[in-house]
Amino acid sequence: MTAAMQRTESPLIVIAICLAALAGFVDALAFTSLGGFFASFMSGNTTRLGVGLGADLPGDAAVAGSLVMSFVSGVILASVVTRWRQARFRESLMLVVTALLVAAATLASLMPGPIVLIFLAMAMGCENGILHREGEVTVGVTYMTGSLVKMGQKLAGALMGDPDRWAWTAYLFLWLGFIAGAVMGAASHARWGWQALWLAPIASAVLAFALLRMRPRLSGPVMVH
């Protein structure tokens, strides 16, 4: 592990991987249910926004733009809750994520459609605030580009003789967690349709409980560099 990872509590590393899996699950459900839009991958939605504007597809552009704004709203909400709750910010944010996922699953059961993605995107934006240092997100758990870049850098360092030869594995596990969640999301959607979304708030509630139980053991923020 890197020096920063060595200072990170092991339970939080596991939580980060679980959060990545939750994001992958939600993203796969969103993608397969609503024609290629994303709940957590805002680069993809930004591309859809640009294509919608350039190709004169106002409906696609509106959905993509709404999702980007919802994601940013979730990040803002996470920052507000973090300042408000401070010592209990992690479990508080996880409860907010759970509530947003419950709202999304309820809407999906009653009136499935793009409005569900609004709540999912907000939940995913909020989820990113759970692992931060001094107000800045240090582990992106809903997008994997940064993790893959870090993994490549650490692999290069290992090949060039850096003493910490296994630093890249932390980022590999984050990526694998996201993939595992996406596989489960796609498989669940194929079997249960929108009803599979109820698995997301259940998993989120379990993570909130885990964070509550481990809070006395967590002395500091996650630091991954």
Side-chain angles (χ1 to χ4, degrees):
M1 293 287 180
T2 62
M5 269 292 196
Q6 290 170 349
R7 295 194 298 270
T8 301
E9 299 90 341
S10 295
L12 278 180
I13 297 173
V14 175
I15 291 292
I17 295 170
C18 292
L19 289 173
L22 177 61
F25 181 89
V26 169
D27 227 19
L29 276 175
F31 183 86
T32 53
S33 299
L34 289 172
F37 290 99
F38 301 92
S40 69
F41 181 50
M42 291 303 114
S43 294
N45 287 332
T46 301
T47 300
R48 292 295 301 266
L49 173 60
V51 171
L53 293 173
D56 194 22
L57 299 169
D60 286 1
V63 172
S66 297
L67 292 175
V68 172
M69 288 188 291
S70 296
F71 185 89
V72 174
S73 297
V75 175
I76 294 171
L77 177 60
S79 297
V80 171
V81 171
T82 296
R83 291 193 181 190
W84 173 44
R85 296 293 288 170
Q86 296 185 2
R88 295 177 177 268
F89 77 92
R90 291 192 181 99
E91 57 264 40
S92 298
L93 285 179
M94 204 69 240
L95 288 173
V96 172
V97 170
T98 302
L100 289 169
L101 291 174
V102 167
T106 301
L107 277 172
S109 299
L110 299 175
M111 53 179 77
I115 188 66
V116 176
L117 279 181
I118 300 299
F119 286 92
L120 292 180
M122 188 176 293
M124 293 299 97
C126 192
E127 181 181 306
N128 277 285
I130 294 169
L131 304 175
H132 82 280
R133 178 174 181 257
E134 297 177 356
E136 299 293 331
V137 173
T138 54
V139 183
V141 293
T142 67
Y143 44 90
M144 291 297 108
T145 302
S147 294
L148 291 174
V149 169
K150 288 291 187 180
M151 184 177 72
Q153 291 173 334
K154 300 304 179 184
L155 271 170
L159 292 172
M160 292 186 289
D162 285 358
D164 195 351
R165 296 182 301 167
W166 303 106
W168 57 274
T169 58
Y171 304 100
L172 173 64
F173 288 136
L174 274 178
W175 181 67
L176 291 176
F178 191 93
I179 288 180
V183 170
M184 289 186 287
S188 298
H189 179 265
R191 184 167 184 177
W192 296 303
W194 272 116
Q195 296 304 314
L197 187 54
W198 281 106
L199 295 174
I202 292 172
S204 182
V206 171
L207 289 174
F209 180 74
L211 283 168
L212 181 64
R213 290 295 301 271
M214 70 175 63
R215 187 175 66 84
R217 300 168 53 191
L218 302 179
S219 59
V222 171
M223 295 174 285
V224 182
H225 301 292

